[in-house]
């Protein structure tokens, strides 16, 4: 690469040679004009000094240019190709916008009441927290525009914002399918069956889903022996909880299902216990909403 810089320097010097030759010729012609000898000598000396200074300045500038070219060549020679674009990370804006819900799942935390069944070892209600994963299968069987609109509404956006987001998805899908970069509203509706002028959807079907989680330990009355009528206040160790979830908003979810636990006391065998569990909870998207859009 340094050889490249030197070659460019030689070319520039050769190209500049005629100009310097002309300047020297002018000085020589000046010496031939009729004038006093001393004046001619002074002018020639002054012209030679100016020519030498010009040559020095030009050489310094050419040296700087050659150094810049050399540095650029080295940089180009050592530059690594950019890495391929990776998978985009999930951002806070995606979470706030209901991105997880759009794909049919979410995470959350709820407060549960574990109620005794009419027949069983549990004698009273217990209370505790439950982190859970929720699934919303209805979102897997609808168009992208509808799921986007409902997810945006579920994630806390207003109707107009949700419509704008869904319209963007519809136009992008139309462009992908037809190649038209600026499709009309009629074309978008024909391709996606999404009405851009009057967007909207009934989203309640997507709000119904399933949940599964592992509740925290809780305490309640339970029968540890063979006599289920004789109960003691003891600790329940939940194994899992599962059931139905109704989640009309990221702020609010209703959970209903069963919780399987084990109870045991010192010196006695453990017993499995099934409780009826109901609870209220919120999803992870609420964190983004609390931080702010």
């Amino acid at each position: 690469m340094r050889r490249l810089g030197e070659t460019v320097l030689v070319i520039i010097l050769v190209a500049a040679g005629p100009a310097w030759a002309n300047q020297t010729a002018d000085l020589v012609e000046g010496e031939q004009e009729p004038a006093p000898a001393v004046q001619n000598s002074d002018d020639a000396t002054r012209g030679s000094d100016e020519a030498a200074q010009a040559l020095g300045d030009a050489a310094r500038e050419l040296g700087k240019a050659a150094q810049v070219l050399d540095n650029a060549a080295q940089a180009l020679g050592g530059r690594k190709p950019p890495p391929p674009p990776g998978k985009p990370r999930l951002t806070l804006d995606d979470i706030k916008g209901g991105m997880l819900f759009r794909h049919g799942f979410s995470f959350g935390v709820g407060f549960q009441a574990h109620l005794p069944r009419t027949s069983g070892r549990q004698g009273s209600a217990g209370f505790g927290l439950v982190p859970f994963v929720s699934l919303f299968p209805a979102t897997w069987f609808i168009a992208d525009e509808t799921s986007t609109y409902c997810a945006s509404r579920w994630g806390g956006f207003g109707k107009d914002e949700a419509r704008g987001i869904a319209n963007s998805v519809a136009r992008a899908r139309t462009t992908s399918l037809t190649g038209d970069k600026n499709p009309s509203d009629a074309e978008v509706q024909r391709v996606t069956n999404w009405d851009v002028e009057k967007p909207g959807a009934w989203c309640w079907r997507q709000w119904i889903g399933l949940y599964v989680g592992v509740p925290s330990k809780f305490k309640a009355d339970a029968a540890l022996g063979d006599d289920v009528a004789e109960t003691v206040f003891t600790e329940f160790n939940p194994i899992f909880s599962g059931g139905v979830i109704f989640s009309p908003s990221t702020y609010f979810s209703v959970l209903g299902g069963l919780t399987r636990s084990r109870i045991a006391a010192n010196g006695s065998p453990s017993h499995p216990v099934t409780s009826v569990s109901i609870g209220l909870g919120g999803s992870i998207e609420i964190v983004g909403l609390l931080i702010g859009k």
Side-chain angles (χ1 to χ4, degrees):
M1 292 302 174
R2 184 173 297 276
R3 185 180 299 276
L4 173 62
E6 294 173 354
T7 302
V8 174
L9 174 59
V10 171
I11 293 173
I12 295 175
L13 287 173
V14 172
W20 297 330
N22 292 334
Q23 186 174 0
T24 305
D26 292 340
L27 291 174
V28 174
E29 291 176 0
E31 293 177 355
Q32 295 175 358
E33 294 178 357
V38 175
Q39 182 69 29
N40 290 340
S41 177
D42 292 341
D43 292 342
T45 302
R46 207 166 27 248
S48 298
D49 292 341
E50 292 175 357
Q53 184 177 357
L55 285 172
D57 294 340
R60 282 191 293 271
E61 293 300 325
L62 288 172
K64 293 179 181 179
Q67 185 64 39
V68 171
L69 289 172
D70 191 25
N71 294 339
Q74 290 182 5
L76 289 173
R79 182 180 299 168
K80 296 181 180 180
K87 185 178 181 180
R89 295 181 178 180
L90 189 67
T91 65
L92 181 60
D93 289 335
D94 293 331
I95 294 177
K96 289 188 293 185
M99 179 62 72
L100 300 181
F101 180 84
R102 176 184 172 185
H103 293 287
F105 71 98
S106 185
F107 303 91
V109 178
F111 180 78
Q112 280 185 319
H114 305 285
L115 309 177
R117 297 186 302 162
T118 54
S119 61
R121 292 181 175 275
Q122 184 176 353
S124 64
F127 303 92
L129 298 176
V130 55
F132 62 86
V133 178
S134 52
L135 301 176
F136 302 94
T139 61
W140 303 338
F141 304 100
I142 59 177
D144 291 342
E145 296 76 22
T146 303
S147 64
T148 300
Y149 175 81
C150 293
S152 300
R153 294 284 293 131
W154 182 86
F157 286 101
K159 290 183 178 180
D160 292 338
E161 292 175 298
R163 289 170 181 172
I165 296 172
N167 288 350
S168 299
V169 172
R171 293 188 183 280
R173 190 155 73 98
T174 301
T175 299
S176 176
L177 294 174
T178 64
D180 187 353
K181 295 182 178 180
N182 189 23
S184 64
D185 293 348
E187 181 70 4
V188 172
Q189 185 173 2
R190 183 187 68 81
V191 174
T192 66
N193 200 30
W194 177 258
D195 190 349
V196 176
E197 296 181 355
K198 297 179 180 179
W202 292 96
C203 300
W204 65 269
R205 295 181 184 88
Q206 299 179 61
W207 298 341
I208 301 174
L210 305 173
Y211 83 91
V212 61
V214 180
S216 62
K217 295 180 180 181
F218 63 93
K219 288 187 176 183
D221 292 330
L224 299 177
D226 295 333
D227 186 3
V228 294
E230 182 180 351
T231 61
V232 296
F233 193 68
T234 188
E235 186 176 74
F236 285 64
N237 296 296
I239 303 172
F240 72 92
S241 179
V244 178
I245 183 172
F246 177 71
S247 182
S249 168
T250 185
Y251 293 106
F252 177 73
S253 299
V254 179
L255 298 83
L258 300 175
T259 296
R260 188 71 168 177
S261 307
R262 298 194 73 86
I263 57 174
N266 294 334
S268 64
S270 62
H271 301 281
V273 179
T274 301
S275 309
V276 177
S277 299
I278 58 175
L280 300 176
S283 299
I284 190 175
E285 286 85 353
I286 195 174
V287 177
L289 292 173
L290 293 176
I291 293 176
K293 293 183 180 178

